[in-house]
Amino acid sequence: MSTITRSDVAYVAGLAQLDMDEAATERLVDEMNSILDYMAKLNELDTDAVEPMMHAMALTNVFREDEVAPSLPRELALRGAPVHDEEYFMVPKILDAEGGGA
Amino acid sequence: MEYEAVIGMEVHVQLNCKSKVFCGCSTNFDAPANTNVCPVCLGMPGAMPVLNREMVTKSVAVGLALGCTISRWSKMDRKNYFYPDQSKNYQISQYDLPINHDGFLDIDVDGKKKRIGITRAHMEEDTARNTHTLGGGQSGVDFNRCGLPLLEIVTEPDIRSADEAYAYLTELKQILQYLEVSDCSMEEGKLRAEANISVRPVGTEPFGTKTEVKNVASFSGTYKAIEFEIARQIQVLNDGGKIIQETRGWDDDRGVTFSQRAKESAHDYRYFPEPDLVPIVVDEAWEAAIKEGQPELPTPRRTRLIETFGLSAYDAGVLTQTRAMADYFEATAAEVPDAKKAANWIMGDLQALITQEEGDLSTIKITPLQLASMINLIEDGTISGKIAKEVLVDMFQTGNDPKAIVEAKGLVQISDTGELEQMIAAVLEKNPAQVEEFRSGKEKVIGFLVGQVMQATKGKANPKMVNEILRKQLST
Amino acid sequence: MSPWYEKSAFEIREAVASGAVSARAVTESFLARIDAVDAQVGAYTQVWRDEALAQADAVDAKIAAGEPVGALAGVPISLKELICTQAGETTCSSKILAGFQSPYDATVTQKLLADDAVVLGKVNMDEFAMGSSTENSAVQKTANPWDLSRVPGGSSGGSAASVASATSAISFGSDTGGSIRQPAAFCGCVGLKPTYGRVSRYGLVAFASSLDQIGPLTRDVRDAALAMNVISGKDPRDATSADLPAEDFTKKLGASIAGLKIGLPKEYFVDALGSEVRTLVEKATKVLEEQGAEIVEVSLPHTEYAVSVYYIVAPAEASANLARFDGVRYGFRHPDAKNVTEMYVKSKSEGFGEEVQRRIMLGTYVLSSGYYDAYYLKAQKVRTLITRDFDEAFKACDIILTPTTPSTAFAMGEKSSDPLEMYLNDIFTISANLAGIPGISLPCGKSASGLPVGFQLLSKAFDEATLLQTAYCYEQHGGNDLGLPALS
Ligand SMILES: [Mg+2]
Ligand SMILES: [Zn+2]
């Protein structure tokens, strides 16, 4: 389909928030290319008229009712956090006040 | 060169479900940080989302109110990005199959009607809140808001001015409140408006580079921000500059927008269907049931009030600002001969009292029936309009029936001819000079004499009769 | 009399429930076995000695009080490191979750505890279930009990090694592309991957959400049925779990398979298949034929594309599922992260192992702008074709019989150098996950070098009963109980 370049690997690593050094980049260029070459065989198939299969079973409309259930005690919620105080999960200062957002 | 603005709005509104979109945590706004959290909304390993049925029902209700096509078949998708306002580092949202699409909202800018296209209104989960005030080079994350039911309403780039944007937001908010799907409190961030703004030479097709104005705390702020941004962009272009695609914030004190960050070469969100959730099918029956439970919306209601009660467009507009007020008016109007009088009392003295007492129409002591019977006491001459104002204050404070108040305070109008004739005779005796003036043709002095009679009767005299009797006695 | 650790879960439950033996005695027998052999095997990452004995005592107390006991009363079990338990840790054998204590129990954990099973501890796996040899564990190596120089398979290698070395009567693993069936074949035990949606995934740390299923690894088929009775069922917390009435999976055990149609897919009996494996699988087919099954040839024409589809879909889902391990709410955070981005990048790059990072990269790439249609969408369409193959095939037969793996257990380090070669090891097991149908692997003998060989039976979705009936019939008449590996 397409060949992966070092810059592709760098771009994807950026999206995945992974740090790829020289060696790792080189390795991944080779590995991903050989894997994707193998996958190229999918192009032998004409799938224009085929619906993609997103679930292994044909379920629809599975809901929960709008009822409040007990939340976790805060100590338990915060227990596993690498850095936290009595109220908050702590992260390094977020300089960019924007960024995420729905 | 002449420029015109091209504006599209993105509104995020929190739907007022009791529990979050995908878990049973409470949506209560006042809870202490990180107390409305569970394995699901904290994105704990192995936890799975299950969609809140009310989220769908309320979203479709909004879609129908906005004339949208409701997707028979829709699904949730994962929107991938890393930021500490997410617990899973993906947001469960809707990508290519939003639950509502292709609708419209009609707005009215000084008498001119305009139709704003609604591209889509899709379901998603709200993000966590970050606090930067903790110091120590740290930011805190509060996941109470993470997973709250959010509807994102996106317009076509049909808006051309700050006025139109303001009208759109006002109308939209009114609809959402009529539907009772959100209290739309902007202070609490339950309604958040973003404007995508660009300018282009008048008469040209292609869009200019847009900026996105975010985090404005009020509609008036949004209005000012848009005004400013349009002017800024035109300035930049006239100075031969280029507009940079970026997100800009609004500094309300300084009244300026400021660059928050250049959009890094368009996000690559890697949307794909959420495998933990199954497709959503809203069939005709479900859609019909939701339509069924829908209240009359502001625009049709305004029209009806004008036609049924002969109100002015302005009065109808004021009275339909909230569903509560419109209901209150109609309940009152039904009990009085002249609906206009009901309108005047509600918009006038009653509204004044409410404002002054910082009350709320939906919680005041006076029932529409009581207000109606007060109006009828004026109509049948039991009390004067002047006295009625006094009675209304009493009703507002005590919630007592107007009749009871009038009797208890002996405010019943004096309409007994004999009694009035004696009083007036006495007044004329005390004021021979004015009587002379009148007889010598200075007709308007009668106003003074009426005043004297009213004073003598503490305003209880029937003004119409006082006038007649005065003229009769003066002319003899 | 043979020690309790050699007995099946069914026998143990009967003995405990009838008061013939105490749950404590049975538990002690297994704990002693762990002490004796697990140093060599390395199946267990956590042994919950005191908790296990306390659970056993609770079961004995119930029995003493004449109270009814659960379907797994006193049965010592182990859980794969990715099944959430409030007790102990849930690490997915990853550095990034080292020391992680789940604040909640997985639905499967709850069901097992409610049925009075005794949890001995957690067992090793490939990090986040990504691997076919358990060599990708960040915690420890696990050896194949039949040959300590070889891998137990994976990703549920700890589970298979534990059952094979009799350090737990049942172990619960997870199967995304063969992670229960392949190690079961390598270690000579029974491994069942239920129909997608049959068992709740709530509390199973997700690898590929549209493929994952929890299932049992057991010493025999009846125990697998017994385990399924306990863990199956609709879970309101898992929107993808099937809403079906409770079923007794033992009900068809022992029933005749006369007239049952068993299909052999020609695409599975290819050159890649080692001759020793082929011979033993054909022998197993004969056994079933002698029991009255009708053997027919069927075709699954898109089989050759399964591995490609799998290695697009699974990494894509994994790239999102693993994004949550960011050092904010739990797990490893790199000590010197000056800002948020450094926190993410350093924590992930140091917390995740090489294979996990490789799959995150692959999955991120196939979803990234410009490649979604060419890879992810294409793969999901071919997945439809693979599923249709099974629908067609099951019109001609009730059960499909295949080898579980192309070869027997390979030596440690043998394949870990070449990811693609490692991926191709799943060639016979992947399709069942893509189609969502159930599959079971059971032993059909040993190779000349004494390594177990397994074969796989597949059925229509939600027809585990027939699957187990057929497997049980083979087990009764196939006559090759492998016994226990010689461990000093
Ligand atoms: Mg959004
Ligand atoms: Zn929650």
Side-chain angles (χ1 to χ4, degrees):
Chain A
M1 301 188 190
S2 52
T3 2
I4 304 265
T5 64
R6 316 175 89 264
S7 67
D8 293 330
V9 169
Y11 172 73
V12 173
L15 288 177
Q17 301 278 313
L18 290 172
D19 169 26
M20 294 291 156
D21 60 20
E22 281 303 304
T25 307
E26 280 306 330
R27 203 188 67 242
L28 272 157
V29 168
D30 298 344
E31 288 170 351
M32 287 175 77
N33 274 316
S34 75
I35 294 165
L36 293 170
D37 287 347
Y38 175 80
M39 290 170 175
K41 67 157 44 159
L42 291 177
N43 296 331
E44 298 164 2
L45 298 169
D46 173 3
T47 52
D48 296 351
V50 184
E51 276 299 305
M53 177 171 167
M54 297 307 184
H55 291 86
M57 62 191 311
L59 275 175
T60 60
N61 286 6
V62 179
F63 301 117
R64 38 173 292 274
E65 300 310 320
D66 185 22
E67 287 151 8
V68 174
S71 295
L72 281 178
R74 182 156 65 186
E75 317 75 65
L76 199 53
L78 293 166
R79 182 181 67 185
V83 187
H84 66 87
D85 63 12
E86 312 70 49
E87 300 173 283
Y88 292 97
F89 295 86
M90 302 290 231
V91 296
K93 187 115 192 135
I94 301 164
L95 308 161
D96 170 7
E98 270 308 286
Chain B
M1 190 171 353
E2 251 216 78
Y3 288 94
E4 73 171 345
V6 177
I7 303 164
M9 301 293 297
E10 275 177 34
V11 169
H12 286 90
V13 60
Q14 274 179 19
L15 300 178
N16 56 1
C17 300
K18 291 192 225 63
S19 62
K20 291 185 176 182
V21 198
F22 300 118
C23 63
C25 289
S26 164
T27 54
N28 166 27
F29 177 83
D30 310 310
N34 291 305
T35 54
N36 291 345
V37 296
C38 73
V40 176
C41 56
L42 283 175
M44 285 287 179
M48 295 176 69
V50 183
L51 182 56
N52 186 335
R53 185 192 303 273
E54 270 304 293
M55 172 72 166
V56 180
T57 309
K58 287 182 152 89
S59 300
V60 170
V62 175
L64 290 170
L66 296 176
C68 288
T69 306
I70 310 303
S71 301
R72 282 277 163 272
W73 181 274
S74 100
K75 63 178 170 71
M76 305 305 296
D77 300 280
R78 290 184 182 180
K79 177 185 183 182
N80 299 283
Y81 67 88
F82 282 94
Y83 198 75
D85 69 359
Q86 275 301 332
S87 56
K88 308 176 293 301
N89 290 309
Y90 58 81
Q91 178 195 33
I92 303 178
S93 181
Q94 296 194 284
Y95 182 47
D96 54 341
L97 292 174
I99 186 111
N100 308 302
H101 59 92
D102 298 302
F104 62 85
L105 181 58
D106 289 331
I107 59 166
D108 188 318
V109 179
D110 31 85
K112 284 208 266 68
K113 285 234 172 307
K114 176 159 182 179
R115 176 157 292 193
I116 307 299
I118 304 288
T119 314
R120 55 191 284 153
H122 70 258
M123 304 184 286
E124 58 183 32
E125 56 181 334
D126 208 342
T127 54
R129 217 191 252 97
N130 299 321
T131 62
H132 313 289
T133 56
L134 300 173
Q138 305 261 323
S139 294
V141 190
D142 170 12
F143 287 94
N144 283 354
R145 199 180 70 175
C146 189
L148 292 188
L150 208 60
L151 190 70
E152 179 175 339
I153 305 164
V154 183
T155 74
E156 292 292 296
D158 291 346
I159 297 166
R160 292 285 172 272
S161 69
D163 293 286
E164 289 182 7
Y166 189 88
Y168 168 76
L169 290 173
T170 317
E171 188 69 34
L172 178 63
K173 180 179 176 186
Q174 210 174 69
I175 289 172
L176 294 169
Q177 288 176 324
Y178 263 66
L179 294 171
E180 290 171 345
V181 295
S182 174
D183 64 20
C184 298
S185 147
M186 285 187 94
E187 308 70 53
E188 296 184 355
K190 291 175 180 172
L191 190 150
R192 313 198 283 272
E194 295 158 31
N196 292 300
I197 305 163
S198 65
V199 297
R200 67 183 173 197
V202 175
T204 60
E205 269 307 307
F207 296 150
T209 307
K210 71 172 187 196
T211 60
E212 189 179 6
V213 178
K214 272 190 164 186
N215 302 6
V216 191
S218 68
F219 286 176
S220 56
T222 309
Y223 179 92
K224 286 183 261 163
I226 291 172
E227 288 259 277
F228 177 91
E229 188 57 18
I230 294 169
R232 185 192 69 87
Q233 290 189 15
I234 293 173
Q235 186 63 57
V236 170
L237 294 173
N238 285 339
D239 299 352
K242 267 185 164 311
I243 307 297
I244 315 149
Q245 182 177 343
E246 61 183 350
T247 303
R248 295 180 72 84
W250 170 246
D251 182 331
D252 206 42
D253 309 330
R254 288 167 50 226
V256 297
T257 65
F258 58 95
S259 174
Q260 272 177 324
R261 51 151 188 189
K263 247 202 170 60
E264 53 272 9
S265 62
H267 285 106
D268 188 343
Y269 287 123
R270 290 154 288 136
Y271 282 97
F272 74 100
E274 168 56 270
D276 286 338
L277 294 167
V278 301
I280 302 146
V281 177
V282 180
D283 59 14
E284 289 84 350
W286 194 3
E287 183 179 328
I290 294 167
K291 218 185 194 101
E292 203 48 40
Q294 209 133 73
E296 185 180 23
L297 294 170
T299 310
R301 194 164 194 177
R302 272 194 291 277
T303 320
R304 187 170 57 79
L305 291 195
I306 292 167
E307 285 162 359
T308 322
F309 301 104
L311 298 180
S312 71
Y314 174 82
D315 289 359
V318 176
L319 289 167
T320 51
Q321 257 163 14
T322 69
R323 202 168 141 186
M325 191 172 211
D327 292 345
Y328 196 99
F329 164 73
E330 291 204 57
T332 312
E335 304 297 324
V336 299
D338 181 359
K340 282 211 198 65
K341 291 227 166 54
N344 295 337
W345 278 100
I346 292 168
M347 296 186 295
D349 292 67
L350 184 56
Q351 189 52 56
L353 278 168
I354 290 169
T355 323
Q356 163 197 325
E357 303 297 317
E358 285 159 2
D360 181 89
L361 185 63
S362 48
T363 58
I364 58 169
K365 296 196 182 126
I366 307 175
T367 69
L369 270 181
Q370 290 174 318
L371 179 63
S373 72
M374 187 208 79
I375 293 169
N376 289 330
L377 285 177
I378 308 169
E379 295 300 305
D380 66 20
T382 312
I383 57 171
S384 68
K386 193 158 171 303
I387 292 294
K389 291 174 183 292
E390 194 180 324
V391 174
L392 188 71
V393 176
D394 195 323
M395 293 165 71
F396 190 85
Q397 281 146 0
T398 63
N400 295 341
D401 274 353
K403 276 201 184 59
I405 295 167
V406 167
E407 268 144 35
K409 290 191 166 180
L411 297 173
V412 179
Q413 200 160 229
I414 304 168
S415 308
D416 168 27
T417 318
E419 190 179 351
L420 284 172
E421 280 173 345
Q422 287 177 23
M423 290 176 146
I424 289 166
V427 168
L428 294 184
E429 246 169 72
K430 279 208 208 77
N431 304 285
Q434 283 75 8
V435 172
E436 266 319 304
E437 284 181 34
F438 182 87
R439 292 196 167 126
S440 62
K442 291 217 175 100
E443 289 256 340
K444 59 175 160 26
V445 74
I446 194 158
F448 167 82
L449 294 166
V450 171
Q452 294 300 305
V453 178
M454 282 305 178
Q455 222 169 44
T457 60
K458 299 191 189 60
K460 286 191 287 175
N462 180 327
K464 199 158 146 292
M465 292 176 72
V466 171
N467 237 295
E468 287 166 13
I469 297 167
L470 254 176
R471 291 185 176 283
K472 198 149 110 274
Q473 296 195 359
L474 285 165
S475 58
T476 51
Chain C
M1 185 199 88
S2 60
W4 285 104
Y5 65 76
E6 284 186 22
K7 302 246 186 295
S8 76
F10 181 83
E11 293 164 327
I12 291 169
R13 199 270 174 190
E14 292 294 290
V16 168
S18 68
V21 65
S22 72
R24 173 173 266 269
V26 173
T27 305
E28 280 168 341
S29 163
F30 274 84
L31 288 169
R33 175 68 176 176
I34 293 174
D35 295 336
V37 302
D38 201 54
Q40 307 161 65
V41 177
Y44 278 86
T45 47
Q46 308 171 53
V47 177
W48 302 343
R49 197 168 299 273
D50 302 344
E51 297 85 339
L53 289 170
Q55 281 177 280
D57 291 343
V59 174
D60 290 332
K62 273 193 185 180
I63 290 160
E67 293 169 26
V69 287
L72 290 176
V75 176
I77 63 167
S78 61
L79 302 174
K80 192 177 181 179
E81 272 286 353
L82 48 42
I83 297 173
C84 287
T85 52
Q86 282 178 285
E89 300 174 355
T90 303
T91 71
C92 301
S93 292
S94 176
K95 178 179 176 185
I96 212 161
L97 274 181
F100 173 68
Q101 295 173 278
S102 172
Y104 71 100
D105 280 328
T107 298
V108 162
T109 306
Q110 289 179 344
K111 284 172 175 282
L112 290 168
L113 294 176
D115 261 307
D116 298 320
V118 173
V119 186
L120 296 175
K122 291 276 189 76
V123 288
N124 201 21
M125 58 185 280
D126 284 299
E127 181 179 9
F128 286 103
M130 295 178 181
S132 309
S133 68
T134 312
E135 291 169 291
N136 296 335
S137 166
V139 181
Q140 67 196 35
K141 290 260 164 291
T142 297
N144 188 313
W146 296 93
D147 177 345
L148 298 175
S149 71
R150 294 179 178 272
V151 303
S155 65
S156 307
S159 293
S162 158
V163 171
S165 60
T167 53
S168 58
I170 306 176
S171 187
F172 291 86
S174 67
D175 190 313
T176 306
S179 284
I180 287 174
R181 292 158 290 159
Q182 184 256 19
F186 277 14
C187 293
C189 48
V190 173
L192 172 66
K193 182 208 87 81
T195 308
Y196 184 86
R198 177 68 92 172
V199 177
S200 170
R201 292 187 292 117
Y202 190 84
L204 165 66
V205 180
F207 162 15
S209 313
S210 76
L211 302 164
D212 298 340
Q213 268 292 288
I214 294 176
L217 292 94
T218 57
R219 200 157 300 158
D220 63 33
V221 173
R222 186 171 49 185
D223 282 1
L226 190 62
M228 285 300 290
N229 284 351
V230 173
I231 63 172
S232 301
K234 170 72 182 168
D235 180 2
R237 296 182 296 181
D238 174 359
T240 65
S241 70
D243 195 358
L244 294 169
E247 191 174 334
D248 177 7
F249 294 95
T250 63
K251 67 175 185 288
K252 288 169 85 176
L253 300 186
S256 160
I257 62 162
L260 190 85
K261 283 205 176 63
I262 295 179
L264 305 181
K266 57 171 184 286
E267 294 80 6
Y268 281 60
F269 295 86
V270 288
D271 305 343
L273 179 58
S275 60
E276 264 190 316
V277 175
R278 177 190 296 263
T279 315
L280 287 169
V281 172
E282 282 165 356
K283 212 165 123 267
T285 312
K286 285 273 170 304
V287 172
L288 290 166
E289 193 167 19
E290 285 154 20
Q291 294 308 311
E294 183 187 336
I295 308 301
V296 298
E297 188 187 86
V298 296
S299 174
L300 299 166
H302 296 94
T303 300
E304 63 175 307
Y305 303 102
V307 170
S308 297
V309 171
Y310 177 82
Y311 280 95
I312 290 171
V313 173
E317 293 180 4
S319 70
N321 283 332
L322 271 60
R324 70 187 58 194
F325 302 101
D326 58 7
V328 176
R329 285 142 295 117
Y330 43 75
F332 171 75
R333 181 192 298 190
H334 197 286
D336 40 272
K338 284 180 236 38
N339 55 50
V340 168
T341 305
E342 275 188 29
M343 172 185 70
Y344 291 143
V345 173
K346 291 187 158 157
S347 304
K348 285 171 178 293
S349 303
E350 195 167 313
F352 286 135
E354 188 179 307
E355 180 61 23
V356 171
Q357 293 193 41
R358 182 183 293 120
R359 297 206 197 182
I360 290 173
M361 289 290 288
L362 198 55
T364 305
Y365 176 76
V366 297
L367 288 173
S368 66
S369 154
Y371 298 103
Y372 180 90
D373 289 8
Y375 290 105
Y376 185 76
L377 189 62
K378 182 77 178 186
Q380 292 288 37
K381 287 176 163 196
V382 177
R383 186 178 177 182
T384 302
L385 298 177
I386 289 167
T387 306
R388 284 189 199 154
D389 284 355
F390 282 104
D391 297 343
E392 279 309 305
F394 282 122
K395 288 175 186 165
C397 64
D398 310 291
I399 293 290
I400 289 173
L401 187 154
T402 80
T404 308
T405 57
S407 66
T408 53
F410 46 88
M412 290 190 183
E414 183 182 331
K415 287 196 166 70
S416 47
S417 54
D418 178 355
L420 186 55
E421 195 190 344
M422 183 72 87
Y423 296 172
L424 290 171
N425 209 260
D426 307 333
I427 190 158
F428 298 144
T429 47
I430 276 174
S431 297
N433 301 81
L434 292 174
I437 61 173
I440 189 169
S441 176
L442 56 160
C444 58
K446 279 189 206 158
S447 69
S449 53
L451 291 171
V453 171
F455 74 106
Q456 172 178 243
L457 299 171
L458 305 170
S459 79
K460 297 184 199 73
F462 301 108
D463 194 14
E464 284 90 348
T466 307
L467 198 62
L468 289 157
Q469 173 197 7
T470 314
Y472 187 79
C473 175
Y474 171 78
E475 196 177 60
Q476 296 303 300
H477 304 91
N480 48 55
D481 181 347
L482 304 186
L484 285 183
L487 293 160
S488 48

